[in-house]
Amino acid sequence: MPAKPVVKRLPARRGLFAGFKGNVDAITIGLKYLVDPKRFTLIYPNEYIKLDPGYRGFIVLDPKKCIHCSSCARICPAAAMRMIKRMEEDPKTGKPKMKLWPVINYQRCIFCGYCVDVCPTEALYTVPYHDIVYENMAEMDWSLETFVKPPEHPTAKEGIPVKYIVDEEKGLVKVRAEEVEEK
Amino acid sequence: MSVWVYGEQKSELGLEGTITRKLEEDLYEVFIGPQHPGSGHMRIIVRIDGDIIVEADPDMGYVHRTMEKLSEGREWIKNVPLFERMAIHDACNVTVSYVMALERILGIEPPPRAKYLRTLLCEINRIAAHLYGFGIFGVFIGHSTMYMWSFADREVMVELAEKLTGARLTHSYPIPGGARRDMPQDFPQAARKAVRYFRRRLDEYRKIFLDNPVTRKRLEGVGIIPKKIAAELGVVGPVARASGIKYDARLAEPYDAYDEVEFEVPVYEEGDALARAWVKFEEIKQSLRIIEQAVDWLEKHPREAPIHERFWAKAPPLWKKVFEAEGRVKLLPLMANLKLPPGRAMARSETARGEIVYYVESDGKTTPYRVRIVSPSARNAIVFKYIAPGYKVMDLPTIYGSIDYFPPEADR
Ligand code: SF4
Ligand code: SF4
């Protein structure tokens, strides 16, 4: 069943009082929302959105799973992920050995999630938050030590977690995160 | 004093493409933009006689990012996030045809589930983009309620897109051979609620905006593009359909799931700003229908990885485990250096603003030899030049808003 084009006509402006009725309708709707407004502003940082687990937030490396394959750096469209060389002791032979490790530069990352999806061992994972502020650009270029642990999420310490849920009557409503999780 | 209209182009100093006429006396030259709040990233040079526009020159290119050239240096799949940046609020619609062109060169067809998922996101994007357009339109003509309302309601669609893809705007959702995620368990319920909400809400939009006598006065009979001229100028999308042209890429060459879902393509014949607003308004309703049908279909059919066999059959067990647990389609490392056979392909899709066309040429390497993009706003920009003259200066924002011109997309 493919689409079909349908020629429509603009609603005619009927009669003497059409303008009057239009004005009354518009004002009535306006008044309705003046009395009963629909607000869902996030009072940030007193509140913060508790995002779904599937959200593509900051990316973190699990060093135990990484097999140093460089796939993540190769697929990165923004050249945010790159491989660095590290001399490490080989657990089997005890001799120093060169290893490649990925590091991420958040000045460049566009959060496309390609790296997470391409990693053959799921060594990369996303955390469901995105609101992290840096004082300078250099801090955004993460070192390997920073990359292996989830970044601190300061708003979660002070703010109240909320969620936005789709509602039939109001579009979006803001509710406390606990209320949604209970259901 | 002659009004400079379509078909009477002259260049007195012999410079083609540039108006080199000496300004007649009593004409003012006004530069609207790029700093002007109502011009977007562009400039319109208008010459006015009193309050009447005599000439209008759209001066584009302020946000030109050499996207076509940049794409030649990137691997195939990396161009999806790049092209998405033409219109981030319409991300799936602008990139799906690029992906389709790649699929044509590869000679693969995505599985039906992927087609439906892409169609679903395309329609979510279309509604979000139309609401974005309505918001800008509203604030252009001083109707700030419309701006507030449609930007708030757009959040509903953005929320749905986020549930589906994990990102609010730059989803990078389509990939050659399929889509990157399946919908989460709670998605169908949320989508149905959103559809019901919008059905009721749109009636309020009509009352406060489209049927509001104040708005109607400013839109009716402004920026009329007769059918013949619309065809000659080659406008696309809602602009063409408001002038009576029954053209839509989803109609002309149904892609993805569009040949299976049922919907109408609204066409109006008046050709003025009001008709263009109504086309978009009616399109939102049709998009809601498509979302419903897509969600129903996806629920009814088994949850299989929405990606072509070629990228899934040999996938390790972890791939399947992740898909079952999270609905995430993991990519094979070969995706990064995907080699396309030599060949060329064209593909088109209907974005919120009209048809976008990609011409992709491969010489067998991991990067494109050439990608040519014709974006809808670039084709609609011509309206400023040929349609604006003859109207008042205060009608220019109306014309701008009604064609929903989007500079980042036109400039590429
Ligand atoms: S999310 Fe995308 S841009 Fe960021 S590091 Fe991963 S691949 Fe690169
Ligand atoms: S793709 Fe995964 S396993 Fe390979 S280097 Fe990157 S993080 Fe390590």
Side-chain angles (χ1 to χ4, degrees), chain B residues 275-295:
Chain B
R276 292 195 277 277
W278 270 95
V279 167
K280 283 184 252 167
F281 182 75
E282 291 291 330
E283 270 185 21
I284 295 180
K285 290 187 188 166
Q286 298 304 324
S287 295
L288 293 175
R289 276 178 71 189
I290 302 176
I291 290 177
E292 263 184 340
Q293 292 173 51
V295 167

Side-chain angles (χ1 to χ4, degrees), chain B residues 341-354:
Chain B
R344 37 182 90 170
M346 267 179 107
R348 53 185 170 175
S349 62
E350 185 77 17
T351 76
R353 297 182 175 79

Side-chain angles (χ1 to χ4, degrees), chain B residues 220-381:
Chain B
E220 207 162 15
V222 171
I224 299 180
I225 314 176
K227 188 170 178 175
K228 184 167 169 285
I229 290 181
E232 277 175 25
L233 294 177
V235 292
V236 287
V239 184
R241 290 195 288 278
S243 295
I245 297 179
K246 293 178 190 138
Y247 184 75
D248 186 311
R250 296 173 294 172
L251 193 72
E253 189 189 1
Y255 52 98
D256 283 354
Y258 285 112
D259 52 351
E260 288 171 36
V261 291
E262 209 175 316
F263 67 104
E264 286 172 4
V265 175
V267 176
Y268 284 83
E269 282 175 336
E270 286 78 359
D272 59 355
L274 188 66
R276 292 195 277 277
W278 270 95
V279 167
K280 283 184 252 167
F281 182 75
E282 291 291 330
E283 270 185 21
I284 295 180
K285 290 187 188 166
Q286 298 304 324
S287 295
L288 293 175
R289 276 178 71 189
I290 302 176
I291 290 177
E292 263 184 340
Q293 292 173 51
V295 167
D296 284 346
W297 191 95
L298 289 166
E299 251 190 343
K300 253 187 253 148
H301 289 74
R303 238 171 121 86
E304 281 160 1
I307 187 140
H308 190 263
E309 276 295 290
R310 180 165 168 178
F311 304 114
W312 197 252
K314 288 206 203 81
L318 178 73
W319 263 238
K320 285 160 195 166
K321 218 172 86 192
V322 170
F323 178 72
E324 264 152 42
E326 301 172 38
R328 196 146 57 79
V329 176
K330 279 186 71 71
L331 310 172
L332 285 175
L334 72 87
M335 270 291 186
N337 300 60
L338 192 66
K339 264 205 177 108
L340 258 64
R344 37 182 90 170
M346 267 179 107
R348 53 185 170 175
S349 62
E350 185 77 17
T351 76
R353 297 182 175 79
E355 177 195 60
I356 188 164
V357 184
Y358 281 90
Y359 166 73
V360 178
E361 191 166 338
S362 160
D363 56 356
K365 295 212 186 77
T366 53
T367 51
Y369 175 73
R370 177 85 170 98
V371 178
R372 166 83 180 125
I373 315 165
V374 182
S375 65
S377 286
R379 289 170 71 177
N380 288 343

Side-chain angles (χ1 to χ4, degrees), chain B residues 62-109:
Chain B
Y62 281 85
V63 278
H64 177 52
R65 289 150 290 170
T66 65
M67 265 194 196
E68 291 176 5
K69 195 71 195 164
L70 280 177
S71 74
E72 289 168 18
R74 283 158 200 258
E75 282 73 16
W76 294 104
I77 185 174
K78 296 185 188 176
N79 286 328
V80 177
L82 173 70
F83 293 148
E84 198 167 65
R85 274 148 182 79
M86 273 189 276
I88 53 169
H89 52 277
D90 204 5
C92 191
N93 278 319
V94 296
T95 50
V96 76
S97 38
Y98 168 67
V99 171
M100 280 177 337
L102 300 193
E103 283 164 356
R104 280 175 195 174
I105 297 180
L106 281 166
I108 58 174
E109 176 112 341

Side-chain angles (χ1 to χ4, degrees), chain A residues 58 80 82 103-109 111 132-143 146:
Chain A
F58 271 68
R82 65 175 195 280
V103 285
I104 192 166
N105 179 356
Y106 278 113
Q107 293 168 18
R108 303 190 63 104
C109 179
F111 298 95
I132 297 172
V133 179
Y134 290 96
E135 274 175 8
N136 56 54
M137 297 281 275
E139 272 177 53
M140 298 175 78
D141 194 355
W142 282 13
S143 65
T146 324

